[in-house]
Amino acid sequence: MSTILVNPMDEIRRERQQPARRLATLSGKTVALLDISKPGGSVFLDRLSELLTTHYGVNKIRRLTKPTYTKQAPNDLIAKLSGQYCDAVIEALAD
């Protein structure tokens, strides 16, 4: 029996983009944790929140949730995450 490998990426060509700005430290920063509504995501983010504050000095954690993991986040949620709302965003993928 042969093995078939499938590329998980779509075939749309995109322009090369610069990676997101990296923070020198998380100490004193506000971090948004985005739950995409998959089972287990909130459990993962609860633990991550604890680690970020106790081990990395994160000042404030903001929790947000997408309505569903099957669709892109609503524009207002994306705008909130890219504004003055936080210094960094971590998205939770779980199952």
Side-chain angles (χ1 to χ4, degrees):
M1 182 173 179
S2 63
T3 301
I4 299 173
L5 299 177
V6 179
N7 184 347
M9 299 175 59
D10 61 30
E11 297 176 4
I12 298 171
R13 294 248 181 221
R14 293 180 173 79
E15 289 186 34
R16 189 175 184 100
Q17 297 180 353
Q18 292 295 319
R21 168 183 64 89
R22 301 297 187 234
L23 299 173
T25 182
L26 291 175
S27 182
K29 303 293 185 191
T30 297
V31 176
L33 301 179
L34 178 60
D35 187 338
I36 68 164
S37 297
K38 288 197 93 172
S42 62
V43 174
F44 170 72
L45 288 177
D46 288 343
R47 179 66 176 135
L48 184 59
S49 177
E50 181 183 319
L51 292 171
L52 288 170
T53 54
T54 59
H55 293 289
Y56 296 95
V58 169
N59 183 50
K60 186 171 189 173
I61 299 288
R62 296 187 180 215
R63 298 283 291 261
L64 296 144
T65 304
K66 277 179 54 177
T68 176
Y69 68 87
T70 60
K71 296 180 183 175
Q72 180 176 335
N75 289 336
D76 61 328
L77 179 58
I78 293 171
K80 191 176 213 179
L81 293 173
S82 61
Q84 298 295 322
Y85 187 75
C86 57
D87 299 299
V89 178
I90 299 173
E91 184 176 356
L93 306 173
D95 258 344

